[in-house]
């Protein structure tokens, strides 16, 4: 069906026995493709109404479908699938798994004006059976308004790119997409406003790119990402983008060829706080021509030269943004120094009869105080006061546990301390435990790296467990140095693992590691 352009419409399709097989009311799209099963006669009824639902006209037709009843081949597609026209899409039949690439649309150019020639593809509904593409997916220069038809797609082995689709409004149809092995890119789509439909996407293997999307206001659809490491992060030439929310999981930008973070020419960008968890950029950092961006203080831990808190190995270019974000020196001189851990600034002051805990500044905290028999004396959860005063305590030893979290309940740090009330109140044992460590790449293939520089000089035990809690391997590092340590994964199978680190006098901490050799 095409040119369904009345203010309101009702479209119905019946089989030969007048059993309804399709219906839409009021919200019918201008172009509709209705898949049918088998040869035979089908009956259609299209009714048009004005904005007030006053009847305009009606069209009824009997349509004969020929050669529509041949069963689809559901075997694995060998090689690449190339769909240049709507006729190619409509003729596609049956593959749940494509071993090569899926190429939709065209990249041909007009030689005279170098403008891309758009494909006539306006619907992908005939692709609804595709669940996995082992190669890449490219959707380029089409007339698509959504990506409906890819509703079953869960996994892309290499890259997923959406580019040059001038009518595309959103990525509806990608609600089931979970992982992309290599590059994920949304580029040159002038009408797309958001990617909220990427609610299931948790893994992007190597690169994230959003550029030249004029109407894009948000990438918060990436908020389900569990990927902590990527090779390149490119956010440029998106004049409507306001913030980078959705990228909070990123901790390292790691690439042997100098992986880069580039935030460039996003004229309405005001907030890059989603990058606050990045601890290592092995390549270059470029933040430029974001004329509304005035707050770059979250980068201070990468610029202050403290290798324990974060570092950039490549070049740093910060310029042509709003004030206080025009050079590394300006950021260093204008931004307040934030302690590396809110646990470090907590003050615990015991006296003869009371205990005062102050400087509780993390967004979310859990504070517990136990007596010497570990009976709970005090507890607060999430809404702790900045100063906690516990008077009239009996003499003895008390144990204090403080856990700090960010706004999304991601652990920041943990502090444990034992103090004496009465007697010698200065006798105390303080234990700081980092709540996280850098592990990359994640997903990994045959090896992963771990940054243990905060434990420099200590002996560390690394244990890898599978998802059933069974020990897979163990590695002991006698003396941690600043260089990252390699973990050999060549003898492990694909799947989810837990990496646990343990040191003397510190609480063991663990992190999920996904091993995938699908690309």
């Amino acid at each position: 069906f095409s040119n369904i352009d009345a203010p309101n419409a009702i479209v119905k399709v019946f089989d030969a026995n007048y059993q309804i097989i399709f219906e839409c009311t009021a919200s019918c799209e201008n172009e509709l493709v209705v898949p049918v099963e088998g040869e035979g006669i089908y009956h259609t009824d299209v009714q048009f109404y004005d904005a007030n639902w006053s009847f305009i006209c009606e069209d009824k037709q009997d349509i004969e479908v020929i050669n529509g009843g041949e069963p689809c081949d559901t075997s694995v597609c060998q090689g690449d699938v190339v769909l240049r026209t709507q006729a190619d899409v409509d003729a596609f039949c049956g593959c749940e798994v494509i071993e090569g690439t899926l190429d939709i649309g065209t990249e041909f150019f007009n030689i005279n004006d170098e403008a891309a020639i758009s494909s006539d593809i306006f619907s992908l509904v005939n692709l609804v059976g595709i669940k996995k593409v082992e190669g890449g997916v490219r959707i380029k220069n089409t007339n698509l308004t959504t990506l409906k038809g890819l509703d079953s797609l869960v996994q892309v082995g290499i890259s997923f790119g959406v580019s040059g689709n001038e009518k595309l409004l959103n990525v509806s149809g990608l609600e089931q997409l979970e992982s992309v092995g290599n590059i994920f890119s949304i580029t040159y789509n002038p009408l797309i406003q958001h990617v909220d439909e990427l609610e299931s996407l948790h893994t992007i293997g190597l690169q994230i790119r959003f550029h030249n999307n004029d109407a894009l206001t948000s990438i918060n659809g990436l908020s389900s990402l569990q990927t902590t490491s990527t090779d390149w992060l490119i956010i440029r030439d998106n004049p409507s983008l306001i913030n980078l929310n959705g990228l909070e999981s990123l901790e390292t930008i790691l690439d042997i060829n100098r992986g880069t973070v580039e935030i460039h020419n996003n004229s309405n960008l005001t907030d890059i706080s989603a990058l606050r968890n990045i601890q290592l950029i092995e390549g270059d950092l470029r933040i430029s021509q974001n004329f509304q961006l005035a707050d770059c203080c979250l980068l201070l831990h990468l610029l202050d030269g403290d290798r324990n808190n974060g570092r950039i190995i490549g070049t740093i270019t910060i310029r042509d943004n709003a004030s206080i974000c025009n050079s590394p020196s300006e950021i260093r001189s204008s931004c307040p120094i934030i302690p590396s851990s809110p646990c470090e600034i907590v003050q615990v002051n015991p006296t003869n009869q009371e205990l005062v805990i102050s400087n509780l500044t993390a967004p979310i905290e859990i504070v517990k105080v136990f007596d010497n028999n570990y009976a709970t004396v005090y507890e607060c959860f999430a809404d702790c006061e900045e100063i906690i005063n516990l008077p009239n305590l009996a003499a003895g030893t008390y144990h204090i546990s403080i856990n700090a979290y960010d706004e999304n309940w991601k652990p920041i740090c943990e502090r444990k301390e034992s103090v004496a009330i009465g007697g010698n109140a200065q006798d105390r044992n303080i234990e700081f435990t980092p709540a996280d460590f850098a592990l990359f790449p994640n997903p990994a293939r045959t090896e992963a790296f771990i940054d243990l520089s905060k434990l420099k000089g200590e002996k560390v035990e690394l244990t890898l467990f599978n998802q059933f809690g069974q020990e897979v391997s163990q590695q002991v590092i006698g003396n941690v140095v600043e260089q990252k340590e390699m973990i050999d994964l060549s003898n492990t199978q694909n799947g989810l693992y837990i990496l646990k680190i343990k040191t003397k006098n510190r609480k063991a901490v663990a992190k999920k590691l996904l091993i995938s050799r699908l690309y």
Side-chain angles (χ1 to χ4, degrees):
F1 298 86
S2 59
N3 296 325
I4 305 175
D5 54 3
N8 289 299
I10 298 176
V11 178
K12 296 181 181 180
V13 180
F14 304 84
D15 65 14
N17 299 315
Y18 283 93
Q19 297 295 315
I20 192 164
I21 62 173
F22 175 84
E23 181 179 13
C24 69
T25 301
S27 59
C28 301
E29 297 179 1
N30 184 263
E31 306 281 349
L32 288 175
V33 176
V34 180
V36 297
E37 297 182 5
E39 297 178 331
I41 300 297
Y42 293 85
H43 311 287
T44 65
D45 184 0
V46 181
Q47 301 173 17
F48 293 103
Y49 299 82
D50 66 15
N52 298 315
W53 280 96
S54 294
F55 180 80
I56 300 175
C57 62
E58 182 178 24
D59 177 73
K60 292 184 177 182
Q61 295 187 40
D62 295 331
I63 300 174
E64 182 179 7
V65 175
I66 300 174
N67 293 328
E70 296 180 1
C72 284
D73 177 9
T74 57
S75 63
V76 173
C77 283
Q78 305 288 330
D80 300 337
V81 173
V82 179
L83 307 173
R84 296 298 187 203
T85 67
Q86 186 63 51
D88 293 339
V89 175
D90 295 342
F92 178 80
C93 191
C95 297
E96 291 187 356
V97 178
I98 297 175
E99 288 188 343
T101 63
L102 173 60
D103 195 351
I104 300 171
T106 178
E107 60 180 353
F108 298 129
F109 288 82
N110 183 306
I111 297 176
N112 294 324
D113 60 13
E114 297 185 351
I117 301 174
S118 294
S119 164
D120 67 344
I121 295 174
F122 62 87
S123 173
L124 302 179
V125 296
N126 200 41
L127 308 184
V128 72
I130 299 174
K131 296 181 179 179
K132 178 181 178 181
V133 179
E134 294 186 353
V137 175
R138 182 171 64 170
I139 304 170
K140 191 169 185 179
N141 301 331
T142 71
N143 283 317
L144 293 167
T145 58
T146 74
L147 301 182
K148 284 189 173 297
L150 298 178
D151 305 74
S152 301
L153 184 62
V154 174
Q155 183 178 4
V156 176
I158 301 181
S159 300
F160 189 98
V162 180
S163 178
N165 302 282
E166 295 189 352
K167 297 181 180 180
L168 191 67
L169 301 175
N170 54 56
V171 292
S172 177
L174 298 183
E175 287 82 357
Q176 303 302 316
L177 183 61
E178 294 182 359
S179 65
V180 175
N182 194 329
I183 302 171
F184 182 86
S185 64
I186 304 287
T187 62
Y188 295 97
N189 304 286
L191 299 183
I192 193 168
Q193 297 182 15
H194 59 77
V195 291
D196 292 351
E197 295 81 6
L198 297 172
E199 56 198 32
S200 299
L201 184 59
H202 57 68
T203 301
I204 297 175
L206 295 180
Q207 298 183 22
I208 300 172
R209 295 174 177 266
F210 286 87
H211 62 79
N212 296 89
N213 303 291
D214 294 345
L216 184 68
T217 61
S218 168
I219 59 174
N220 198 42
L222 298 180
S223 59
S224 296
L225 274 183
Q226 300 171 11
T227 299
T228 60
S229 176
T230 186
D231 285 0
W232 289 69
L233 174 64
I234 307 296
I235 310 289
R236 61 174 298 156
D237 301 303
N238 303 289
S240 301
L241 189 63
I242 299 172
N243 58 55
L244 302 183
N245 294 350
L247 300 176
E248 289 83 356
S249 68
L250 293 181
E251 297 176 1
T252 57
I253 309 299
L254 177 69
D255 184 81
I256 58 174
N257 295 314
R258 298 173 69 88
T260 295
V261 174
E262 181 177 9
I263 314 297
H264 172 74
N265 196 31
N266 305 285
S267 55
N268 279 297
L269 184 68
T270 60
D271 181 6
I272 60 173
S273 61
L275 304 182
R276 61 184 177 273
N277 295 318
I278 293 179
Q279 296 295 313
L280 171 65
I281 300 176
E282 283 205 335
D284 303 332
L285 173 66
R286 303 171 188 162
I287 300 179
S288 59
Q289 295 183 29
N290 306 287
F291 302 115
Q292 302 297 318
L293 182 60
D295 186 359
C296 290
C297 290
L298 65 98
L299 301 173
L300 190 60
H301 71 290
L302 292 169
L303 305 176
D304 62 8
D306 185 347
R307 295 170 65 90
N308 291 328
N309 291 336
R311 54 198 169 109
I312 301 171
I313 296 177
T315 60
I316 301 173
T317 303
I318 301 177
R319 66 185 184 191
D320 300 324
N321 305 300
S323 58
I324 313 180
C325 191
N326 282 313
S327 68
S329 60
E330 187 177 60
I331 295 171
R332 293 188 188 101
S333 62
S334 303
C335 296
I337 298 176
I338 301 174
S340 59
S341 166
C343 297
E344 295 182 18
I345 64 172
V346 173
Q347 295 184 6
V348 178
N349 298 309
T351 65
N352 285 334
Q353 289 187 318
E354 73 176 3
L355 175 64
V356 178
I357 304 172
S358 57
N359 287 351
L360 295 166
T361 60
I364 300 172
E365 288 161 323
I366 299 176
V367 178
K368 297 180 180 180
V369 179
F370 308 92
D371 65 16
N372 198 40
N373 296 314
Y374 283 93
T376 301
V377 175
Y378 173 84
E379 181 176 7
C380 67
F381 186 87
D383 56 350
C384 302
E385 298 290 337
E386 186 173 343
I387 300 176
I388 298 172
N389 191 345
L390 304 178
N392 303 319
L393 296 176
T397 300
Y398 291 82
H399 309 287
I400 302 158
S401 172
I402 301 170
N403 288 273
Y405 304 83
D406 68 11
E407 298 87 346
N408 299 311
W409 280 95
K410 182 177 180 178
I412 300 174
C413 61
E414 182 180 25
R415 174 172 175 172
K416 291 183 177 180
E417 181 169 351
S418 298
V419 298
I421 298 295
N424 185 357
Q426 300 302 314
D427 292 341
R428 63 175 67 186
N429 177 30
I430 301 175
E431 178 183 343
F432 291 99
T433 304
D436 211 350
F437 54 89
L439 175 64
F440 44 86
N442 194 359
R445 299 181 68 185
T446 59
E447 60 186 27
F449 296 89
I450 184 170
D451 184 356
L452 298 172
S453 55
K454 292 184 179 180
L455 305 177
K456 183 180 178 181
E458 297 189 34
K459 180 180 179 181
V460 174
E461 180 181 293
L462 307 176
T463 308
L464 188 67
F465 299 90
N466 63 21
Q467 59 185 326
F468 304 108
Q470 299 166 327
E471 182 177 317
V472 175
S473 65
Q474 188 179 80
Q475 179 179 348
V476 176
I477 302 172
N479 183 25
V480 172
V481 296
E482 288 189 348
Q483 286 73 29
K484 56 183 178 288
E485 299 285 347
M486 188 191 80
I487 304 169
D488 184 8
L489 304 173
S490 58
N491 294 322
T492 57
Q493 303 295 319
N494 288 346
L496 182 65
Y497 293 80
I498 302 296
L499 180 65
K500 180 179 179 181
I501 69 169
K502 183 179 180 181
T503 64
K504 185 179 180 181
N505 298 323
R506 291 179 183 266
K507 181 180 178 181
V509 290
K511 194 164 194 174
K512 294 179 181 178
L513 173 63
L514 181 63
I515 299 176
S516 174
R517 303 186 184 93
L518 298 178
Y519 57 91

